[in-house]
Amino acid sequence: MNELAVKKNAVTEPMRIPTLADELAALFGRAGHRLYLVGGSVRDAMLGRDSADLDFTTDARPDTVLKIVSGWADGVWEAGIAFGTVGVTKRGTTLEITTFRADSYDRMSRNPEVTFGDAIEGDLLRRDFTVNAMAVDLETKQLVDPYDGMTALRRGILDTPAPPEESFADDPLRMLRAARFTAQLGFSASPRVVMAMTEMAGQLTRITAERVQAELSKLMVAADPRSGLELMVETDLADHVLPEVPGMRLAIDEHHQHKDVYEHSLTVLQQAIDLERGGEPDLVLRLAALLHDIGKPATREFQPGGGVSFHHHEVVGAKMTRKRLRALKYSKQIVDDVSQLVFLHLRFHGYGKGEWTDSAVRRYVTDAGPLLDRLHKLVRADCTTRNKRKAAALQRTYDDLEERIERIRAEEDLAKVRPDLDGNEIMKLLGLPPGPLVGEAWKFLKELRLDRGPLDHDEAVAELREWAGEQGITPAD
């Protein structure tokens, strides 16, 4: 079934309700309260998608909810109780039960003044999009859809229950969620939503970097991040999240086969995703593919005769990547890994037709370290020329490099390239205490190891003693 093809009998036949939901509804019914399955849980069920968590809403107040689930739940947490939400675990499934809300917002932040409501219709009105503003009454098994979310779901349209200007003023993060749902579900934003996003993009600055980053990450690991990114650029949201991405529209790609570096980068992103070959989405690889050329606008130079150069754009781009990802509060590991891939993505182009020495191949592997497999995918994805012969030649050349890496790896343990003498032996041979000189000696021997491959012990000692003499260090007897 197509992901966007809603079940034809979704309205006329009861949804398949999870056993846990029925159990919970029975508890609420005996206590004199109504319970509804709501939001993304309903949307995903209609789309035939699995939903890891179950979300509910109820007329019961939070303290009453706690009493109802006591003794039934395997675990209960109250971290969100100030917002009306009680978290529950049961047989390995996470459930969230939230009292009907009728919040108001100060529109200076995204923090609501929490007030509880008395009707399901009012609760659904305050939700982000009509496709998420549907509920199932677990007593009657009837769909509650006051804002025609089913029609929007059938058409694959993102629209808001309230006017979009009001919805986004209440919570500007919803604009970024529109881009995320576009990428995840293949939906298209309605014209009025697009207009409101464009007019209100600047309000995204009210949202913390951590929340923006969380939405961006979900978008990037979705099925079609390109469509979400294009919506962000079209509506100017990207100017406040990843301004370097729309900034690439100013730079014409040097291959002259794409409209600009922006289009080239989106193509590289898609090709990198294809190289995941059905595995888990790789956030680091996808960010590197999107950002690998962000240094081009700053390094663009027009050459006599109409040529364009981008010298050292990988160096500039790595610095820009590090700055942007830090501003988005990504973890140090992600910042380091994505920046290093951006820095290394151009190195392969020095390989020519295989002119690299084994030493250069070792350095390529050593510099990539644990990122080598991702670097392989990024470099291959970066070939976007429409000239089939040129593309095939580039892929054959990279095949040759990978074969050389495997050959050398079979002969030497490239993953554990270390000097032929360790730090203790260096100190003993040179009569040095622990300190910077030992580190310099260790680095010298590692560079030697990369250049010449493994050395036997006596040869390594001789090279160390010669280096020490050049540094004015008198080796120990």
Side-chain angles (χ1 to χ4, degrees), residues 129 158 168 171-183 197 204 207-209 211-217 219 228-229 231-232 235 237-238 240-241 328:
F129 300 105
L158 285 174
F168 299 155
D171 184 359
L173 191 65
R174 290 171 174 172
M175 295 186 287
L176 199 51
R177 285 168 63 85
R180 192 244 292 182
F181 285 131
T182 297
M197 290 170 67
L204 200 59
I207 307 302
T208 65
R211 296 302 303 273
V212 169
Q213 180 244 100
E215 283 297 325
L216 176 64
S217 295
L219 184 158
L229 290 165
L231 180 58
M232 287 177 62
T235 58
L237 283 182
H240 304 281
V241 180
L328 287 168

Side-chain angles (χ1 to χ4, degrees), residues 4 110 134 227 310 397:
L4 281 177
R110 66 182 296 267
M134 296 183 289
S227 63
F310 303 96
T397 302

Side-chain angles (χ1 to χ4, degrees), residues 313-323 339-340 342-343:
H313 76 266
E314 74 283 9
V315 178
V316 174
K319 292 178 180 177
M320 293 172 65
T321 296
R322 183 173 294 277
K323 181 178 179 180
S339 301
Q340 183 69 351
V342 172
F343 177 72

